[in-house]
Amino acid sequence: MDNKIVVRTDIINPHTYLDLELDYKDLIETIFLCGGYALYYQLYKYYGEKSKGYREIKKMEDILLIGSEQLNNNYYIYLKSTSLKYLKYRKIETIETDLTVNRLNKNPSYRPLMNSIYSFEYLLERHDLINVDLSLEKLDIFLKDVIKSFELNRLQNIHLGNVAKENYREQLKVKLKILGDRSSIYLKDYIRENSLKDSTLHFVWYDFDQEIQQNPIFRVLTLISKFLNFVGTKNQLNCCEFTLEIITISEERKSILEKLTKRALERVNKKNNYYLNNSINTKSNKVISHIREVNYDVLPDIEKYIKVSVRGDNEFNFADIKTVERIEKLKEVIKKNKER
């Protein structure tokens, strides 16, 4: 068994590179895949306890892997260029140009920050990753099946013809990426059946805006259906079915969403009856079709993080890393004395 670690000296500080390989590689890569941001509280959960999580945050800050910022009463971390260079160049054997990375904004807008927080929390709780890159991978698999259906019977499936064009498929990828970045809607899975129309696309939506005035469920169903319209519609109906999983923060919010979903589906049925039963020519398809189901997943710790931070959590805000380490050693001594 080869236990050797090759330390790259051409990417980042070799001592930092070694620390990454030994202690932080998995965490840094995970945060990056989730969007590059995470709450302090999520790292406490990752490490199993608050004191250890805080110590590790400060160690990563000391070697410039992450930076910390505050939003309202929440502290969060973001990946710095040291981590981004490691992730981008560690598998490239020869580097002849200057090392460049797209730096993360240390003060991002609300949506990219929350997208990352929800993705990281979903991974911590469900051991499953949701992000734009995986959405695009699932889309690629789906579009290959769309092309196969078109090639098998071009006349019957003429509505799928645009997907056979490479530049059109690239446009669909851009549209899906925008759904994730701007609306927190991701394609999580594609369930293939014998026919394309019976196959199912499984979408996920992060409910962090907590809207109630404008029905957010109807808006999300509309956005997904419009995206499927670009893949292809026949007689105003989408080419396959889709499901929607709503990820929210509490059982109370889930109850509200269930009521909003019922109203949204009633509105969908009413609109569909109108547009399918009347020969009205419209520039865009207003039918929202083939909704298989809407279900919910609750991540209650996100609400807990917010509530705790609002109350104020100053346990470690004033203490440096050496102070925290001394406190932990003192706790261990006290515990041992009690056990004697």
Side-chain angles (χ1 to χ4, degrees), residues 280-330:
I280 301 173
N281 294 321
T282 58
K283 292 184 178 179
S284 60
N285 187 2
K286 296 186 178 181
V287 174
I288 303 174
S289 68
H290 293 159
I291 305 170
R292 172 165 284 187
E293 63 180 4
V294 178
N295 47 55
Y296 315 87
D297 194 358
V298 177
L299 300 178
D301 278 353
I302 292 181
E303 185 178 38
K304 184 175 74 175
Y305 303 148
I306 296 170
K307 285 184 176 179
V308 169
S309 63
V310 168
R311 287 202 305 268
D313 185 16
N314 299 316
E315 181 177 350
F316 294 125
N317 288 352
F318 60 91
D320 61 21
I321 184 63
K322 292 182 180 179
T323 303
V324 174
E325 288 175 343
R326 285 198 298 270
I327 292 172
E328 289 304 307
K329 288 180 181 178
L330 180 60

Side-chain angles (χ1 to χ4, degrees), residues 67-110:
S68 295
E69 290 293 331
Q70 184 177 3
L71 177 65
N72 299 325
N73 288 314
N74 270 304
Y75 284 88
Y76 64 89
I77 65 96
Y78 64 93
L79 299 183
K80 300 190 77 169
S81 58
T82 301
S83 293
L84 299 176
K85 287 178 182 178
Y86 167 81
L87 293 171
K88 182 176 180 179
Y89 294 106
R90 61 182 167 150
K91 294 182 181 179
I92 300 177
E93 293 184 3
T94 304
I95 302 173
E96 298 177 352
T97 59
D98 293 335
L99 303 180
T100 59
V101 291
N102 294 322
R103 295 189 178 189
L104 292 174
N105 187 346
K106 68 178 184 178
N107 299 118
S109 58
Y110 182 70

Side-chain angles (χ1 to χ4, degrees), residues 12-29 31-32 36-37 43 47 56-68 77-87 104:
I12 58 176
N13 180 290
H15 299 289
T16 302
Y17 192 99
L18 184 59
D19 285 337
L20 264 164
E21 285 287 323
L22 292 175
D23 299 321
Y24 302 117
K25 177 173 65 175
D26 291 341
L27 175 59
I28 293 300
E29 185 169 22
I31 294 173
F32 176 74
Y37 304 92
L43 294 180
Y47 281 107
E56 295 300 330
I57 289 171
K58 292 307 169 185
K59 287 178 182 177
M60 286 187 284
E61 283 184 329
D62 288 342
I63 58 176
L64 304 180
L65 297 181
I66 64 171
S68 295
I77 65 96
Y78 64 93
L79 299 183
K80 300 190 77 169
S81 58
T82 301
S83 293
L84 299 176
K85 287 178 182 178
Y86 167 81
L87 293 171
L104 292 174

Side-chain angles (χ1 to χ4, degrees), residues 156-214:
Q156 182 179 348
N157 296 319
I158 193 170
H159 57 290
L160 305 175
N162 283 329
V163 178
K165 305 171 186 175
E166 184 177 354
N167 65 333
Y168 193 81
R169 293 196 298 276
E170 292 302 315
Q171 292 176 39
L172 287 173
K173 291 177 185 178
V174 171
K175 292 180 186 298
L176 185 62
K177 186 177 186 307
I178 290 173
L179 276 181
D181 291 340
R182 296 184 184 176
S183 300
S184 307
I185 300 170
Y186 301 89
L187 176 57
K188 182 182 175 183
D189 205 0
Y190 164 51
I191 310 301
R192 178 187 287 125
E193 299 294 346
N194 291 330
S195 65
L196 185 66
K197 68 180 180 64
D198 294 326
S199 298
T200 305
L201 293 175
H202 179 41
F203 289 89
V204 167
W205 172 58
Y206 294 153
D207 167 49
F208 53 72
D209 286 332
Q210 305 292 289
E211 298 176 65
I212 55 173
Q213 299 302 322
Q214 300 293 327

